[in-house]
Amino acid sequence: MYEPIRTKSVHSTLARTPSSDFPHRSREEELDIQLAGHLAALLAVTDELRALAPSADLDAAAERLAAQLNRLRGGTTPRLASATPPASHLDALHQRAHALAGRALVVAASRADTAAAILSAQRMDAHADAAEPRALAAR
């Protein structure tokens, strides 16, 4: 009544081993990638802020962020931006940088990366302090 199957089923998972299908990354590697992404985004916002309101603190922060990215990416140094962004959206940039630093802090803490966690916490404080005087002036 039924003809026997002569070919392997494409739906069978028993014939394949999970490790041979595609390369897997460890949790540590995934966290490294995630942390590098958050720090890269924070560096981009820091570069925008440096272009709008240059300061020694932002220059030092950009260098430290670039050093952490270099470490996480295995020697690939990110370029620091030099183009001037559109004017006067400093508050939004500080809020965005604060949020990005918070995300980086969470990932750094979960992977026990003390250097990145300290840098992220310092940047959160700096961006909170930078936005606070303008918020008080607006009242």
Side-chain angles (χ1 to χ4, degrees):
M1 181 175 265
Y2 294 104
E3 183 177 334
I5 298 173
R6 295 188 176 122
T7 61
K8 279 186 167 180
S9 172
V10 294
H11 302 289
S12 174
T13 58
L14 297 176
R16 291 181 243 140
T17 60
S19 63
S20 65
D21 287 351
F22 54 90
H24 294 277
R25 289 189 283 254
S26 68
R27 181 176 188 274
E28 189 71 22
E29 290 170 325
E30 289 292 336
L31 289 173
D32 282 348
I33 292 167
Q34 191 175 14
L35 179 59
H38 290 315
L39 291 177
L42 181 57
L43 178 61
V45 173
T46 301
D47 285 342
E48 286 184 52
L49 285 166
R50 287 174 53 218
L52 288 174
S55 76
D57 179 51
L58 289 174
D59 292 342
E63 291 299 324
R64 290 181 63 201
L65 287 166
Q68 286 297 319
L69 280 169
N70 187 21
R71 179 182 61 87
L72 288 169
R73 291 181 174 169
T76 307
T77 305
R79 285 187 345 185
L80 300 178
S82 60
T84 304
S88 103
H89 57 280
L90 285 175
D91 289 334
L93 285 175
H94 281 295
Q95 289 173 352
R96 186 169 159 211
H98 185 272
L100 287 167
R103 290 184 194 125
L105 177 60
V106 169
V107 176
S110 70
R111 65 181 296 275
D113 188 336
T114 307
I118 290 171
L119 176 59
S120 298
Q122 288 172 343
R123 296 317 309 151
M124 282 183 71
D125 290 343
H127 292 294
D129 291 344
E132 189 174 298
R134 279 186 287 286
L136 291 175
R139 289 183 185 173

